[in-house]
Amino acid sequence: GQQVMQIPQYQHVQEGEDFTTYCNSSTTLSNIQWYKQRPGGHPVFLIQLVKSGEVKKQKRLTFQFGEAKKNSSLHITATQTTDVGTYFCAGPEETSGSRLTFGEGTQLTVNP
Amino acid sequence: NAGVTQTPKFQVLKTGQSMTLQCAQDMNHNSMYWYRQDPGMGLRLIYYSASEGTTDKGEVPNGYNVSRLNKREFSLRLESAAPSQTSVYFCASDRINYGYTFGSGTRLTVV
């Protein structure tokens, strides 16, 4: 079945450093979604990318969707302690447009 | 406040006990989902409902049942709890192109 993989699983950075997490799907995706989950919290939708090669920015966060629509990345510039949490990518299953397959997430810790 | 409401927030069960996790959304979404989250394993789909009156199995349905009572409510039932069902359970609903809205979760421990 469809697999969505994320690397790295964990990332520790000093405040002010940049951070990138990568997402790879075993199948071509119609779109890719990103979520953030704070420690002890629930996942919160950040963004959806639809077009091949699409790049979107939200303040210090930059999201990219690969040309082949099988990979994506999230880059955070100059991390802050408020960025702490786990970042998940998710893509729709091939047989159902609404059901998402989630990656295992990248857990980010930021040392002040 | 608009969103997804889950109850209870915490629960401890003894092996073999049953319980129902409740979920309600007030955003008029058609699709609703139940996920479980275990350390290092991300979010795994248990059951989902594409619309009122329909339910389908996800990746890990064994030991669970669901009911889509109406458009707002989607409940998850554990008939005979097992320690392997110790997890955090999230309910979610979605609107196309706007992503999933998750509830705050139920932290379940089975002893």
Side-chain angles (χ1 to χ4, degrees), chain A residues 8-103:
Chain A
Q9 189 174 2
Y10 302 96
Q11 186 74 58
H12 309 280
V13 300
Q14 287 295 129
E15 189 171 20
E17 291 182 340
D18 292 356
F19 159 76
T20 304
T21 175
Y22 300 91
C23 177
N24 290 285
S25 170
S26 58
T27 60
T28 301
L29 300 171
S30 59
N31 67 75
I32 188 86
Q33 299 180 21
W34 285 91
Y35 293 77
K36 176 184 179 181
Q37 183 177 23
R38 295 181 187 274
H42 58 277
V44 174
F45 174 71
L46 294 176
I47 206 163
Q48 175 176 283
L49 305 172
V50 178
K51 299 177 183 177
S52 170
E54 187 170 12
V55 178
K56 286 189 176 180
K57 293 189 175 184
Q58 290 180 348
K59 297 183 180 178
R60 295 177 294 103
L61 278 61
T62 301
F63 304 85
Q64 291 188 322
F65 199 10
E67 294 290 342
K69 301 184 75 173
K70 295 184 71 174
N71 57 72
S72 181
S73 64
L74 159 59
H75 179 82
I76 302 178
T77 303
T79 55
Q80 300 176 358
T81 55
T82 53
D83 296 324
V84 165
T86 301
Y87 293 85
F88 293 96
C89 64
E93 294 183 12
E94 293 177 279
T95 57
S96 168
S98 62
R99 284 187 348 234
L100 294 177
T101 298
F102 283 81

Side-chain angles (χ1 to χ4, degrees), chain A residues 9-10 31 33 35 37 40-45 48 50 86 88 93 96-105, chain B residues 31 33 35 37 40-43 45 48 50 56-58 90 94 96-105 107:
Chain A
Q9 189 174 2
Y10 302 96
N31 67 75
Q33 299 180 21
Y35 293 77
Q37 183 177 23
H42 58 277
V44 174
F45 174 71
Q48 175 176 283
V50 178
T86 301
F88 293 96
E93 294 183 12
S96 168
S98 62
R99 284 187 348 234
L100 294 177
T101 298
F102 283 81
E104 294 181 356
Chain B
S31 299
Y33 311 85
Y35 283 87
Q37 185 175 37
M41 300 190 74
L43 293 154
L45 182 64
Y48 71 101
D56 280 293
K57 296 178 180 179
F90 288 104
D94 84 314
I96 300 296
N97 294 327
Y98 288 83
Y100 283 14
T101 300
F102 284 86
S104 57
R107 283 149 181 82

